[in-house]
Each structure stands twice: as C-alpha cells, then as structure tokens.
Amino acid sequence: MSYRKGNKDDDDSYYEKKQYDEDKKEVFVDFECSIGAEPNVFNEDNPLVRVAPGTTVPIATICFDKLKDCSQVWFNGVVGVTNPDAVDDATVILKIRKSQKGLGVGKLIYESAPETLAPGESTNFPFTHCEHIDHCKKDACYTLSVEVPADSLASVDVTGPVTFVGTQINHSHTDYK
C-alpha cells in the first residue's frame, strides 16, 4: 500500500490511498557498470588503448540478463581521451551498439557528434542516452566504442577515466491498479 497526498476540497490533511501493482512498483529493474581500469583515473603515461584514424575500438561492455517489456535503459558515463599528436587535430566519436550475448557487433543505438581535439589536448567526454524497450524478454549487451574517422589527421589515446553505466528503468511504475 502507498499513500499519496490528495487535494480534495483544498484540504491539506486529505490523503488518498492507492494500491500499486507489485510488478509496476519496481522503478529500477537492473543496473550494470563497466570501468576502464583500477584506479579509474586519467593516465596519459599509460593509455588504455590508442585509436588510429579509420578505426573503431570497443572500450567497455555491459550486459543485462533480461530486458523487461515497456522499460527504458538509461546510459551514462565518461570517456577520457588525449590527442598525443604535436601538430594535427584529432576527431573522436563515441558509439553504443546493442547485441545479444555472443552475437557479434550489433545495432548502432547511439552516436555522439564528432568532437575535435587540438594537438596535445586532453578532455573527458561525458555522455547520456536513453533507449526505449518495446517488446523484449531476452538478454542484451551494449558496447561503448571510440571511433576516430578516416579523415582525422591524428590518433587518439583513451587515457581514462572510462565509465559506462546502464540502468534499466520500469517507466510504467506510476500506473495505478
């Protein structure tokens, strides 16, 4: 049982009792997190990976055992990158792909706008994305990748931090029975 303050005849002391469907009451269904390294800090001297122009490199993966119908998966995180080149700019794009466990690359569900790094520049790229799940009772894996387009003049080092978080949210939790 849950109580919600009502506004019957502008009486602040009135409370309306509502019975929630137990399945819809659960707001946060699942939580998954991947971090790039321990400690998860900027490390220019020992980058996690170098991404050359024209390549896409997966840097973190999270998997859910079962996606719930009519839910949302909210992604957020941060990727620390450095342009190690002393002369040329580098372009970086973050991507998230969805697949079933063990079934390859998967479908692109998120792509950031290209970001340009000046020579020697380091920065953290925060991101957030929300995916609606209509009908699904299967597992899903989401892979975060860093891409440096072929027309970029320089490579990029993933220097950390790298954090990739996914939270499955039951968006129908406010329905009353």
Side-chain angles (χ1 to χ4, degrees), residues 35 42 47 68 89 91 94 101 119 141:
I35 58 171
F42 173 76
K68 195 170 183 175
D89 287 349
T91 304
L94 300 181
K101 288 181 186 175
C141 289

Side-chain angles (χ1 to χ4, degrees), residues 49-157:
V49 66
R50 177 162 285 175
V51 184
T55 60
T56 301
V57 176
I59 57 170
T61 299
I62 56 176
C63 294
F64 293 93
D65 290 332
K66 180 180 170 184
L67 292 178
K68 195 170 183 175
D69 287 353
C70 297
S71 64
Q72 302 277 341
V73 180
W74 174 35
F75 302 98
N76 59 66
V78 65
V79 177
V81 294
T82 297
N83 176 357
D85 197 277
V87 178
D88 294 318
D89 287 349
T91 304
V92 179
I93 299 171
L94 300 181
K95 293 185 174 189
I96 300 174
R97 292 188 176 275
K98 175 184 179 180
S99 65
Q100 280 189 273
K101 288 181 186 175
L103 293 183
V105 176
K107 175 182 142 188
L108 181 68
I109 64 162
Y110 171 81
E111 182 174 327
S112 71
E115 296 285 341
T116 301
L117 294 175
E121 181 181 4
S122 296
T123 191
N124 289 332
F125 287 113
F127 64 91
T128 190
H129 175 67
C130 195
E131 179 192 34
H132 178 75
I133 309 299
D134 283 324
H135 302 288
C136 185
K137 297 277 187 195
K138 1 177 205 193
D139 64 62
C141 289
Y142 296 90
T143 302
L144 173 65
S145 300
V146 173
E147 178 179 292
V148 176
D151 61 353
S152 179
L153 300 174
S155 297
V156 169
D157 286 343

